[in-house]
Amino acid sequence: IVVSEWNEKITGALLDGAVTTLKKHGAKDENILIKTVPGSFELTFGASQMMEYCELDAVIIIGCVIKGDTPHFDYVCMGVT
């Protein structure tokens, strides 16, 4: 799991839910890798690094972007997708 540190109140709750769900369906603690990145924009880089350097079955990315009055939301969303 790659999770954004920005807006930790939201991303932390989403992370807790993802880990709980994985465990509920049989994933073992030692098989759940969690790496953090500063913000949502860095999620794709963090995911690509995990895919390159770790033996994985799947990658889950968790981030949060809040739309405000500036185009920042659009730039981050375009960069991540």
Side-chain angles (χ1 to χ4, degrees), residues 2-7 10-11 14 36-47 61-66 72-73 75-81:
V2 183
V3 60
S4 169
E5 293 175 323
W6 189 82
N7 212 338
I10 293 172
T11 60
L14 292 169
T36 59
V37 294
S40 292
F41 193 79
E42 293 83 11
L43 287 168
T44 54
F45 177 74
I61 61 169
I62 299 172
C64 175
V65 182
I66 297 173
H72 183 259
F73 172 88
Y75 299 146
V76 172
C77 288
M78 284 189 298
V80 172
T81 57

Side-chain angles (χ1 to χ4, degrees), residues 2-25:
V2 183
V3 60
S4 169
E5 293 175 323
W6 189 82
N7 212 338
E8 195 275 330
K9 184 175 181 180
I10 293 172
T11 60
L14 292 169
L15 174 62
D16 291 343
V19 170
T20 299
T21 301
L22 288 169
K23 289 180 182 180
K24 176 181 172 184
H25 293 281

Side-chain angles (χ1 to χ4, degrees), residues 16-71:
D16 291 343
V19 170
T20 299
T21 301
L22 288 169
K23 289 180 182 180
K24 176 181 172 184
H25 293 281
K28 297 177 184 173
D29 285 332
E30 62 267 18
N31 293 332
I32 300 173
L33 305 174
I34 300 170
K35 301 294 182 184
T36 59
V37 294
S40 292
F41 193 79
E42 293 83 11
L43 287 168
T44 54
F45 177 74
S48 69
Q49 292 297 294
M50 284 190 76
M51 289 186 297
E52 186 171 339
Y53 295 107
C54 302
E55 188 176 326
L56 306 171
D57 292 320
V59 177
I60 299 169
I61 61 169
I62 299 172
C64 175
V65 182
I66 297 173
K67 188 166 178 114
D69 293 331
T70 69

